[in-house]
Amino acid sequence: MAVNLWNGNDVLDREMYDRFADLYAIIKATERLEKAYLRDIISPAAYESECSKLISHFKTMVPFLDDTVPSVEQFMGTYKLKCPAALNRLVTSGVPATVEHRTAAAASANISAATVAECTAHFVTVLDALRLNMVAADELYPLLFDLSNSLSKLSILPDLEGKVKEWMEMLSKMGAADKLTEQQARQLQFDLESSYNSFMAALQHPGICLEEAFMYGWSGYIDLDTSCVI
């Protein structure tokens, strides 16, 4: 009786197609969300929250697809995905429509709703990376840099930016391929989740125009364990 030997390529192929399935689902979900927003089926606040999550998940996934997906457009052509709105939102724009269309009034507010949405997206992106076991210095440092850069735009949050910079300083002293230990990765995740809770609490500051933030896209707390809005 012939016995089929285990082939390591089978595992790699399965992982590749799992990622293809995830990318396919993100594109389809984004297309449906864009259509729902255009038809006023979903509120701007709910749209911004869901769209920010999809964009964050998409950006987290892209580095894993470089070798197998030359371009999203080619992927969509291969799998006959006619989703022009999703392509524009995920690839061309990279931000929710509500952020694109915010008025000059939002820009002059004490705190910009776009900046709040940007910070939230970066928090989700870094935590997603940790859950995907992306713990190498060269994987985490750019994500923390983006988060720190967003937090620096909010003068009410110097302590949170400082915590992120502490981790950036530690990573900068490591080799590019060096990885955090399991304990360090767990501590980083704890620090980020604590920082996010403090970030949301700081938004209750009297000097912040929360009504305007709601109007232009910020939609409340997000459960960082599930990336779901509470």
Side-chain angles (χ1 to χ4, degrees):
M1 182 179 65
V3 177
N4 292 326
L5 298 178
W6 178 80
N7 186 349
N9 290 331
D10 292 342
V11 176
L12 296 177
D13 287 345
R14 180 173 180 177
E15 289 179 354
M16 180 184 71
Y17 284 112
D18 281 346
R19 287 169 184 163
F20 283 4
D22 290 338
L23 179 58
Y24 187 99
I26 288 173
I27 292 172
K28 292 290 288 185
T30 303
E31 183 73 13
R32 291 194 186 100
L33 183 63
E34 290 295 307
K35 290 180 178 179
Y37 177 64
L38 288 173
R39 296 169 183 168
D40 288 329
I41 297 173
I42 187 172
S43 70
Y47 162 79
E48 172 120 7
S49 173
E50 294 303 316
C51 192
S52 293
K53 287 191 293 181
L54 287 168
I55 291 171
S56 294
H57 293 323
F58 173 75
K59 289 181 177 179
T60 300
M61 179 178 294
V62 166
F64 290 99
L65 300 171
D66 285 345
D67 296 334
T68 52
V69 180
S71 72
V72 176
E73 293 91 336
Q74 182 175 326
F75 177 85
M76 292 173 64
T78 300
Y79 292 97
K80 304 187 186 307
L81 277 169
K82 296 181 179 180
C83 301
L87 181 64
N88 174 68
R89 188 63 49 217
L90 296 170
V91 179
T92 306
S93 172
V95 295
T98 45
V99 175
E100 282 188 332
H101 303 154
R102 62 190 169 94
T103 65
S108 63
N110 289 337
I111 183 172
S112 166
T115 302
V116 173
E118 181 182 305
C119 288
T120 300
H122 287 312
F123 270 116
V124 172
T125 298
V126 180
L127 286 161
D128 273 352
L130 288 171
R131 294 189 186 98
L132 289 170
N133 201 34
M134 294 173 60
V135 293
D138 62 347
E139 293 172 327
L140 287 173
Y141 188 92
L143 303 181
L144 290 174
F145 178 86
D146 289 340
L147 175 58
S148 176
N149 189 49
S150 294
L151 291 173
S152 69
K153 300 174 185 177
L154 306 177
S155 60
I156 60 168
L157 302 171
D159 293 339
L160 299 189
E161 186 188 358
K163 176 63 71 174
V164 174
K165 285 186 173 180
E166 286 177 12
W167 279 101
M168 289 173 60
E169 182 178 356
M170 188 192 80
L171 290 169
S172 69
K173 296 177 181 178
M174 299 168 58
D178 290 344
K179 297 183 177 182
L180 296 181
T181 64
E182 182 178 350
Q183 182 177 358
Q184 288 173 324
R186 185 171 180 177
Q187 184 64 49
L188 175 55
Q189 181 172 342
F190 175 82
D191 286 348
L192 289 173
E193 289 175 345
S194 298
S195 295
Y196 180 78
N197 290 333
S198 297
F199 166 72
M200 300 308 294
L203 294 178
Q204 307 302 320
H205 189 279
I208 297 174
C209 181
L210 283 182
E211 289 184 2
E212 193 159 338
F214 274 110
M215 184 181 300
Y216 291 100
W218 177 66
S219 57
Y221 290 87
I222 291 179
D223 182 344
L224 291 174
D225 286 328
T226 61
S227 297
C228 294
V229 176
I230 299 176

